[in-house]
Amino acid sequence: MSVLFNLFYIYDPWLFHFFRMAFFTGFVCIVVLVYLYYQGKRSIILPVDSLAVVLGLVGLSIIPALAHHTNDFSVTLMYVKGAMLFIFGIALYNLFYYLQPQQRVITDLKIGIVVQAIVGFLALASIPFMIDFALSTNAVFPRFYNSEQEYRLYNFTSSGFFQLSLFYVVLLHFLLAYNDKYNNISSIFLFLLLFIGLISGRTFLMLSLVSIAIYFKWRYIPVLFLFGAICLFFVFNFPEHKYVAHALEPLINLVYGKGAVSSSTDTLMEKHLFIPQLKQILIGDGYYFAPQGGYYVVYAVVGLLVKSAKYQDEYHLITISYLVEIH
């Protein structure tokens, strides 16, 4: 049971584009946990300091909109949603993992990685029912259907693109750090995570190198070599394929000496990058969406991992899921 709840909560599939499983499973966890608590069959522990940070971010996110009278509370709504999911995560942890061996969390995370990899492999193999299934778990993204970026939707999750890549970076970093301490996770999971991370977005491809370098083990070499060889095989043999050209664009540009990291990086640098003034750094402009349309500033979440070391992995599961939702 914990495997299903973990999978639905962590990856939050948006079944048939409207039924978000993270909220459903979280609500069920709270109801069951409260019932068991009042029956005297279960105690509840709360990460009070982490809750204070999460709720504090909700409050702080209101200040720029009020200070500038923009009435743009988009970021606040995101933090409210994130706070709800964080509370659901606490309920999930107390219900399934508090009284269990630590390895159970890792086992459930590994099963989730396998599920994601299977969905991705079969969808990329152009099996129609798996493509339809994968697309049905996402929000509606019409402009990406049949495009060069459709492969990024071949994940069993409602999360999209950039934040999904960041989620996989955090998950990879966490598992490598855990394995550095306990050395009991098979290298095959590194390969599978590299695969599903790659199809989530190019951000993962670059940032994953940092985590691998920090927690490098010699036994990782075979799977890293295999993954690298597969990527180079596609680069040299199918560079014009629309999925390959997009997913491996940084590597293609490096191999063929094209210079630029990726087209999205160029677009970001040319059209969206600006140097903020000190006042903007301190209190922002109060906008998430620019008045003329489009994104203006992407807010970042800082410091959520500061307290996690205190609990020695207990709340990493909750933190990982929370990071996915804040974008």
Side-chain angles (χ1 to χ4, degrees):
M1 184 63 71
S2 67
V3 174
L4 284 177
F5 274 73
N6 181 293
L7 182 68
F8 289 145
Y9 173 76
I10 289 284
Y11 296 103
D12 186 19
W14 201 338
L15 298 184
F16 309 110
H17 305 304
F18 72 92
F19 194 73
R20 294 195 65 164
M21 293 301 295
F23 286 89
F24 174 73
T25 55
F27 179 76
V28 171
C29 285
I30 286 181
V31 171
V32 175
L33 185 63
V34 169
Y35 173 78
L36 293 176
Y37 177 78
Y38 280 104
Q39 291 289 317
K41 299 178 180 179
R42 188 64 58 91
S43 58
I44 298 176
I45 60 170
L46 297 174
V48 177
D49 45 5
S50 297
L51 274 172
V53 171
V54 171
L55 296 178
L57 287 171
V58 174
L60 288 174
S61 67
I62 301 175
I63 296 176
L66 295 178
H68 297 284
H69 307 287
T70 63
N71 295 319
D72 185 350
F73 295 101
S74 305
V75 175
T76 301
L77 293 176
M78 292 180 185
Y79 282 134
V80 169
K81 180 182 69 173
M84 291 174 60
L85 288 168
F86 189 78
I87 293 170
F88 289 153
I90 295 173
L92 176 73
Y93 172 79
N94 278 277
L95 187 61
F96 290 110
Y97 300 114
Y98 176 38
L99 300 177
Q100 298 295 326
Q102 185 185 66
Q103 186 61 29
R104 182 168 179 176
V105 178
I106 304 301
T107 299
D108 289 351
L109 288 175
K110 290 192 293 186
I111 292 173
I113 292 172
V114 172
V115 170
Q116 290 283 46
I118 291 174
V119 172
F121 274 125
L122 296 181
L124 288 174
S126 298
I127 297 178
F129 84 88
M130 189 55 69
I131 292 177
D132 292 339
F133 171 72
L135 295 181
S136 72
T137 66
N138 288 270
V140 179
F141 294 116
R143 70 189 183 96
F144 293 109
Y145 299 152
N146 299 315
S147 75
E148 77 282 357
Q149 297 192 52
E150 184 182 273
Y151 72 92
R152 301 172 75 177
L153 300 174
Y154 296 162
N155 279 278
F156 181 69
T157 177
S158 64
S159 299
F161 304 168
F162 180 71
Q163 67 267 29
L164 184 59
S165 286
L166 291 182
F167 163 73
Y168 281 128
V169 169
V170 174
L171 180 58
L172 173 69
H173 195 86
F174 166 67
L175 288 179
L176 290 178
Y178 181 89
N179 201 43
D180 184 65
K181 183 176 181 179
Y182 297 102
N183 200 34
N184 58 359
I185 298 179
S186 171
S187 298
I188 188 62
F189 291 100
L190 172 59
F191 175 82
L192 296 178
L193 192 49
L194 288 173
F195 165 72
I196 60 177
L198 176 61
I199 69 173
S200 72
R202 294 171 298 195
T203 302
F204 177 89
L205 182 65
M206 294 179 284
L207 295 182
S208 62
L209 297 176
V210 178
S211 296
I212 292 172
I214 293 174
Y215 295 110
F216 177 79
K217 288 182 178 292
W218 288 106
R219 67 182 179 88
Y220 294 157
I221 289 182
V223 297
L224 293 175
F225 179 81
L226 176 62
F227 181 76
I230 292 174
C231 290
L232 288 174
F233 172 79
F234 283 106
V235 166
F236 285 113
N237 292 279
F238 305 99
E240 302 302 323
H241 187 282
K242 63 179 183 179
Y243 291 169
V244 175
H246 187 272
L248 296 175
E249 184 183 14
L251 185 57
I252 290 173
N253 289 339
L254 178 64
V255 169
Y256 291 98
K258 295 183 179 180
V261 175
S262 69
S263 57
S264 59
T265 301
D266 292 342
T267 300
L268 177 66
M269 298 294 290
E270 295 172 4
K271 297 183 178 181
H272 302 291
L273 183 65
F274 70 95
I275 306 301
Q277 300 175 358
L278 178 61
K279 182 179 179 181
Q280 291 173 308
I281 295 175
L282 294 177
I283 62 173
D285 282 345
Y287 287 105
Y288 182 74
F289 295 101
Q292 64 272 25
Y295 292 104
Y296 178 61
V297 176
V298 178
Y299 286 70
V301 174
V302 182
L304 289 181
L305 291 175
V306 171
K307 293 295 185 180
S308 61
K310 175 181 177 182
Y311 296 101
Q312 299 181 349
D313 305 321
E314 286 182 351
Y315 285 98
H316 280 87
L317 174 69
I318 303 169
T319 304
I320 288 171
S321 298
Y322 182 66
L323 286 172
V324 149
E325 293 298 332
I326 302 300
H327 55 89

